[in-house]
Amino acid sequence: MSTYNTLTLEESNGVATLTLNRPDAANALNVELARELMQAAIEISESATIRALILTGNGKLFCAGGDIQAFAEAGDQVGGVIKEITAYLHAAISRLTRMNAPVIVAVNGAAAGAGFSLALIGDIVLAAESAKFTMAYTGIGASPDGSSTYFLPRLIGLRRTQELMLTNRRLTAAEAEDWGMVTRAVADDELMAEASKMAAQLAAGPRLSHGMVKKLLASTFNESLETQMELESQGIASVMNTADGREGIEAFKGKRKPEFKL
């Protein structure tokens, strides 16, 4: 794994842990963190050994969004700085959401702005009970980025999304779970253990099958029934016609646990 200045990336037993690491700045996204997030996402997505990813933050907050201090220092050039940050951030999100390995986001604290957006990209999202979620963008005269206008309406519907984005309503972890925005709220001191347990389970599974699930669900709101069913047909045929597919069949026949390798 590469060494980064604003985040850490570790791998063990097929599970990578990517940690935003600017705790003194609330893990806010400046140009460097956004660039390193993109670089790490490329590294993870190109890895032949990573089978699941945990994304979390160091410190009391998950991510406070964009680095307002950096925006202030940019002065009249703030638009260019934001375009550079979002270019890196959006490339990172695209790599992580489209790779085969499932992404588990462990929201360890407050998630605001782009931090809220990052929390949404997980295939599984676990939130510490003390975590809070707020869009925050319009509070500083900004508008959403980081994929939230894509994911949030699909997760919770348009009306609730409008409320969150226009009023900056703050949600608790329990409310986020109730709304279907996160998979589960867990006790603060159990968050990383639960994320690690989930990641280990997924890492032992069939990575190509997981990738196909992600691909099919990404297209489901954009396709007709017949097109989606054809994509399902092509998908299941392709993953079953692999060594892992054959292993799954043989393990089922032999009444044993499969050992997936791809």
Side-chain angles (χ1 to χ4, degrees):
M1 296 285 94
S2 299
T3 300
Y4 298 94
N5 294 322
T6 61
L7 52 81
T8 62
L9 179 59
E10 302 171 325
E11 180 186 356
S12 177
N13 298 320
V15 176
T17 302
L18 179 60
T19 306
L20 307 178
N21 194 29
R22 296 186 70 213
D24 294 339
N27 294 324
L29 288 154
N30 59 5
V31 170
E32 184 179 23
L33 176 53
R35 184 191 304 115
E36 291 195 335
L37 190 62
M38 178 192 69
Q39 292 168 338
I42 292 172
E43 181 176 359
I44 293 164
S45 66
E46 287 294 302
S47 171
T49 58
I50 293 173
R51 305 179 66 85
L53 169 68
I54 298 171
L55 171 62
T56 191
N58 181 24
K60 295 181 178 180
L61 283 77
F62 173 68
C63 176
D67 190 331
I68 304 302
Q69 182 61 36
F71 296 167
E73 293 171 358
D76 292 342
Q77 303 303 312
V78 66
V81 170
I82 289 175
K83 285 182 178 179
E84 185 174 4
I85 290 174
T86 54
Y88 296 138
L89 173 62
H90 294 172
I93 291 170
S94 182
R95 299 289 82 73
L96 295 177
T97 55
R98 297 190 183 279
M99 69 181 183
N100 288 331
V103 177
I104 300 170
V105 180
V107 185
N108 56 293
F116 191 147
S117 299
L118 268 180
L120 299 174
I121 73 169
D123 300 296
I124 304 290
V125 181
L126 303 177
E129 288 179 341
S130 64
K132 300 290 191 298
F133 298 84
T134 181
M135 279 276 98
Y137 290 99
T138 60
I140 60 167
S143 57
D145 61 358
S147 77
S148 56
T149 60
Y150 179 88
F151 283 113
L152 202 53
R154 286 165 167 78
L155 289 168
I156 66 173
L158 180 59
R159 283 289 176 248
R160 281 177 164 173
T161 298
Q162 289 168 320
E163 180 184 10
L164 290 181
M165 291 185 173
L166 293 173
T167 72
N168 301 311
R169 174 176 171 174
R170 182 176 297 182
L171 291 184
T172 65
E175 289 172 323
E177 179 182 359
D178 182 59
W179 283 24
M181 200 178 75
V182 305
T183 308
R184 188 161 59 254
V186 300
D188 289 24
D189 58 0
E190 297 175 5
L191 176 66
M192 292 311 296
E194 186 66 19
S196 296
K197 178 181 177 181
M198 181 73 70
Q201 176 186 337
L202 291 169
R207 181 165 55 171
L208 296 183
S209 294
H210 290 159
M212 187 57 66
V213 169
K214 294 174 65 166
K215 183 177 181 180
L216 289 168
L217 292 179
S219 68
T220 187
F221 290 103
N222 303 319
E223 304 291 356
S224 68
L225 170 62
E226 288 73 21
T227 299
Q228 189 69 14
M229 288 192 296
E230 177 59 20
L231 293 173
E232 290 177 346
S233 179
Q234 296 290 341
I236 190 172
S238 67
V239 296
M240 290 302 291
N241 192 30
T242 64
D244 274 358
R246 291 185 288 274
E247 165 63 10
I249 293 170
E250 291 302 315
F252 182 83
K253 288 170 56 181
K255 298 182 179 180
R256 60 175 175 83
K257 186 176 181 180
E259 296 182 11
F260 298 113
K261 300 291 180 63
L262 298 180

